[in-house]
């Protein structure tokens, strides 16, 4: 009896009962999530995978063909990961178990009991789904590992050939669409401001100045040669599209050096060449694209240096350049980069100290340029409230829901945020209206340090008084970056209204109509929506990190961190609940991170 694990758990009858309970909770949880405000397709995908994993574990327990017990470390990782994802899904769907309508006459005890039961069903089924997935990964990592391609000696230069093929293929697609369908490019309001600054010479750092200065030469040359702002934009976006194609080709080349199989290489090229967001962002959204591509190149170069510390010295220069792009292309880049330095320091502080030195040098250089240098040049910085989206939303939500400010608290808040206008202004998923209200209330006057300190104290006091309301405001403003996916405009397909003369020209109307139908299918068709779900892609990075931890692959785990650090900064200060461009870096680097996490075990040192 000592060696019979079945007897320890009550025999087949107990296994059947446990599996039946899991099925009931999984299906009930999934049924409740049909009422979620999030897109249902990602949930359906994850729950289908969880159900398959649960069935596989159930069969293994019955057959006892192999032990289903895990070592303590792996078991703890599975439990932590399952609880973490359960908290994400349950928290994002708080209206299903916290805000429900049973009628005003229903006793409070019954309301609380009903909410508890709903929470139990949703979170219980979610836990079993993710626990089964992570347990299967831990028990059978070989099943998610791809096999190395066997290349004859004649194909010794295959990575270089694949780089050239993928570069020209991807660049051709982007340039074809730019010049024949979407000329001179797709430009949102922020990029309009950058073009205006290049024309007038009156710069600011509200949009990252570094990305604005990259546009400047194209404006100067284009106006000198063509005297046409549309030609300037087309020149810039053509070069940007080539640069994006170069970065994606570098990903393909790296996978070829890992001896990735042909299906993985072809799938990666098609992913970069045909996915609508890669096409649309390559010919628009300057700062978001350059920021995301810089992170992808940063991960590629960092991987080369971690695997080959004694490799070419030029790789350290490339790491410095990619690090500067990481920090400078978006205003949240330095904060995300600082988070990554902390992770790298505690993970690899005794290994390759030159990498740590370059990371520190990069962030210090960027801080010096963005603060003392720009201040000396009298370049205006972004407003302090631009990075305080979450606190301002939490305060506004609390005032609207509870209306219990004391006279002293009102005296602190009203000069900064007109309290009487909050209920007409507040939007749970968008912080711009509240920030606009603050700017209107302040009337252009800078907030004093004393006012800022009082505002911070008020935020803390209201949070202690109404923590649940603060949690609701947090979920409503950030859920798009850590849960499933949400209906939102995934890309810009226009040129924002402007007085610069920038306008979209439909070079070939028939091609434009066909292309718009193609990209529209990803928003209209149920399962194609999966490919544009921001939260689902962030989940993919979390799962990749879990796989690397299970396989004790420190390099793979570290390379999942940069994108997760960006997601962390979005949670702290994102202005809108779901916008693909803010987390576009997750879409750029995913093929590399997934391939690295599932590479053959013998490649892991």
């Amino acid at each position: 009896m000592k060696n019979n694990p079945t007897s320890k758990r009550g025999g087949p009858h107990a296994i059947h009962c446990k599996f039946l309970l899991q099925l009931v909770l999984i299906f009930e949880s999934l049924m409740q999530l049909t009422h979620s405000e999030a897109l249902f397709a990602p949930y359906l995908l994850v729950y289908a995978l969880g159900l398959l994993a649960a069935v596989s574990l159930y069969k293994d327990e019955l057959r006892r063909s192999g032990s289903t017990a895990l070592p303590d470390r792996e078991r703890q990782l599975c439990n932590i990961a399952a609880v973490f994802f359960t908290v994400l899904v349950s928290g994002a769907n708080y209206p299903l178990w916290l805000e429900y309508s049973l009628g005003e006459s229903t006793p409070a005890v019954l309301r609380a009991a009903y909410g508890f039961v709903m929470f139990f069903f949703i979170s219980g089924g979610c836990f079993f789904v993710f626990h089964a997935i992570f347990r299967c990964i831990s028990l059978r990592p070989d099943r998610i590992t791809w096999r190395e391609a066997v290349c004859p000696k004649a194909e010794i230069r295959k990575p270089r050939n694949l780089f050239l093929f993928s570069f020209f293929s991807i660049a051709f697609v982007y340039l074809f669409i730019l010049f024949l369908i979407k000329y001179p490019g797709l430009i949102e309001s922020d990029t309009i401001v950058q073009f205006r600054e290049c024309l007038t010479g009156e710069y600011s750092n509200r949009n990252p100045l570094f990305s604005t200065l990259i546009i400047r030469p194209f404006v100067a040359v284009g106006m000198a040669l063509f005297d046409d702002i549309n030609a300037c934009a087309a020149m810039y976006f053509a070069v940007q599209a080539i640069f994006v194609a170069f970065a994606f080709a570098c990903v393909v080349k790296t996978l070829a050096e890992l001896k990735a199989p042909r299906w993985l290489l072809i799938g990666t090229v098609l992913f970069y060449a045909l996915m609508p967001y890669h096409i649309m962002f390559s010919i628009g959204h300057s700062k978001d694209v350059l920021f995301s591509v810089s992170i992808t190149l940063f991960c590629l170069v960092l991987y080369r240096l971690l695997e080959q510390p004694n490799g070419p010295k030029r790789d350290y220069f490339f790491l410095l350049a990619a690090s500067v792009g990481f920090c400078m292309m978006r205003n949240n880049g330095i904060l995300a980069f600082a988070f990554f330095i902390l992770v790298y320091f505690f993970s690899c502080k005794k290994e390759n100290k030159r990498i740590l030195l370059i990371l520190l040098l990069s962030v210090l250089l960027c801080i010096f340029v963005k603060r003392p240098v720009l201040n000396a040049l009298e370049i205006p910085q972004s407003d302090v409230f631009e990075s305080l989206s979450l606190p301002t939303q939490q305060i506004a939500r609390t005032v609207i829901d509870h209306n219990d400010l004391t006279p002293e608290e009102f005296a602190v808040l009203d000069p900064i945020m007109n309290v009487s206008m909050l209920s007409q202004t507040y939007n749970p998923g968008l912080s711009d209206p509240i920030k606009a209200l603050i700017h209107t209330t302040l009337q252009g006057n800078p907030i004093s340090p004393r006012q800022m300190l009082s505002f911070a104290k008020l935020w803390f006091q209201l949070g202690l008084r109404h923590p649940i309301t603060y949690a609701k405001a947090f979920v409503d403003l950030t859920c798009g970056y850590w849960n499933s996916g949400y209906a939102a405009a995934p890309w810009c397909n226009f040129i924002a209204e402007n007085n610069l003369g920038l306008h979209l020209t439909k070079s070939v109307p028939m091609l434009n109509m066909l292309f718009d139908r193609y990209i529209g299918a990803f928003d209209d068709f149920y399962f194609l929506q999966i490919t544009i779900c921001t939260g689902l892609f962030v989940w993919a990075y979390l799962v990749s990190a879990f796989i690397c931890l299970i396989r004790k692959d420190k390099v793979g785990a570290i390379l999942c961190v940069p994108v997760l650090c960006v997601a962390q900064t979005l949670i702290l200060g994102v202005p809108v609940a779901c916008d693909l461009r803010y987390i576009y870096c997750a879409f750029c680097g995913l093929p590399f991170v997934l391939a690295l996490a599932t590479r053959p075990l013998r490649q892991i040192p």
Side-chain angles (χ1 to χ4, degrees), residues 421-438:
M421 297 294 294
L422 285 179
S423 59
Q424 305 170 36
T425 307
Y426 177 72
N427 183 332
L430 182 65
S431 65
D432 287 345
I434 290 296
K435 288 188 288 188
L437 176 63
I438 292 174

Side-chain angles (χ1 to χ4, degrees), residues 125 154 225 267 279 294 297 399 409:
L225 293 178
I279 297 172
S294 296
L297 291 174
V399 172
E409 292 171 339

Side-chain angles (χ1 to χ4, degrees), residues 179-322:
F179 287 102
L180 293 184
I181 301 177
K182 299 296 179 182
Y183 182 88
L186 306 169
I187 311 176
E188 281 196 339
S189 56
D190 285 348
T191 310
I192 292 289
V193 172
Q194 291 180 299
F195 273 95
R196 181 179 292 109
E197 290 178 357
C198 292
L199 288 169
T200 62
E202 299 177 359
Y203 298 103
S204 75
N205 198 40
R206 294 184 180 91
N207 290 303
L209 179 62
F210 197 49
S211 68
T212 304
L213 293 178
I214 292 175
I215 299 175
R216 178 72 182 95
F218 296 94
V219 172
V221 173
M223 294 301 292
L225 293 178
F226 306 104
D227 193 27
D228 181 7
I229 190 64
N230 291 290
C232 301
M235 289 171 57
Y236 170 76
F237 287 122
V239 173
Q240 177 180 277
I242 291 172
F243 178 62
V244 172
F246 166 80
F248 292 162
C250 288
V251 174
V252 177
K253 180 177 181 290
T254 305
L255 296 184
E257 291 171 344
L258 285 170
K259 298 182 180 180
R262 183 175 300 177
W263 64 265
L264 182 54
L265 296 172
I266 294 175
T268 300
V269 174
L270 293 177
F271 173 74
Y272 286 135
L274 300 181
M275 283 293 105
Y277 33 79
H278 294 312
I279 297 172
M280 305 297 273
F281 287 172
S282 70
I283 57 176
H285 303 281
S286 61
K287 62 181 179 181
D288 303 293
V289 177
L290 295 178
F291 175 67
S292 300
V293 170
S294 296
I295 294 175
T296 301
L297 291 174
F298 171 81
C299 291
L300 293 176
V301 178
L302 183 61
Y303 168 72
R304 292 175 65 88
L305 291 174
L306 289 173
E307 289 289 288
Q308 301 176 359
N310 298 320
K313 301 299 181 183
R314 65 176 180 271
D315 285 347
Y316 289 96
F317 172 78
F318 292 148
L319 180 66
L320 177 63

